[in-house]
Amino acid sequence: MKLDIKNTLIKLILTTLIVLNVSYIFAEECKIVISGSDMMKYDSKEINIDQNCDKLSVTLKHSGKLPINAMGHNIVFLETKNLQKIISKINMSHGIDNGFIPEMEEVLFKSKMIGGGQETTFEVDPKIFTKGVDYTYLCSFPGHFALMQGRLKI
């Protein structure tokens, strides 16, 4: 009888550890960290998004030292088919607080602009993305999009 209780306890503990570990893995899939540098590059060319997440937490870090007005970075999510339309609207006249782009329905999400040494974290509803559609992310600081863009993979 002692052996049965011991085996049951071991199974219970192992099951609990497996469940906790799996929960941790799924939680990590719902968090993304991406960094931009003074060299106008993101540290990743592709972001994978799990639509099973209730919300997606994205942290954008600026690993450089230059100030926001000289080398600010943000991240903008859009359907790839709208890339040319959106980058054609990037203009200093829209202001840094607007990410140098006007309000457009084609922009699915844009973060605030950050400078060297700063970071920002925000949440995105993964349901704004449709499986099978091509998505792009980019920095909308004028001129940066040429080097600072990548693919969102759903």
Side-chain angles (χ1 to χ4, degrees), residues 81-154:
K81 70 179 184 179
N82 296 319
L83 179 62
Q84 291 304 317
K85 182 176 185 178
I86 291 170
I87 62 174
S88 72
K89 301 291 184 191
I90 295 174
N91 191 297
M92 291 293 245
S93 66
H94 297 297
I96 202 164
D97 290 338
N98 295 318
F100 301 109
I101 52 178
E103 292 300 317
M104 301 172 66
E105 65 180 89
E106 293 86 0
V107 173
L108 300 175
F109 178 84
K110 71 179 168 187
S111 73
K112 72 177 191 174
M113 198 70 63
I114 59 173
Q118 296 179 321
E119 70 177 62
T120 184
T121 299
F122 50 89
E123 290 183 350
V124 177
D125 183 352
K127 292 170 184 61
I128 64 171
F129 304 108
T130 304
K131 196 164 182 80
V133 175
D134 289 329
Y135 295 95
T136 296
Y137 63 93
L138 59 85
C139 176
S140 64
F141 195 99
H144 289 199
F145 64 85
L147 297 174
M148 293 188 75
Q149 62 177 280
R151 181 173 180 219
L152 288 169
K153 193 172 179 185
I154 312 302

Side-chain angles (χ1 to χ4, degrees), residues 25-47:
I25 291 168
F26 283 119
E28 288 302 308
E29 289 178 1
C30 298
K31 292 180 182 179
I32 294 168
V33 177
I34 188 165
S35 183
S37 70
D38 286 343
M39 300 301 294
M40 291 193 319
K41 289 189 178 187
Y42 287 123
D43 64 351
S44 177
K45 292 284 186 190
E46 186 173 280
I47 295 175

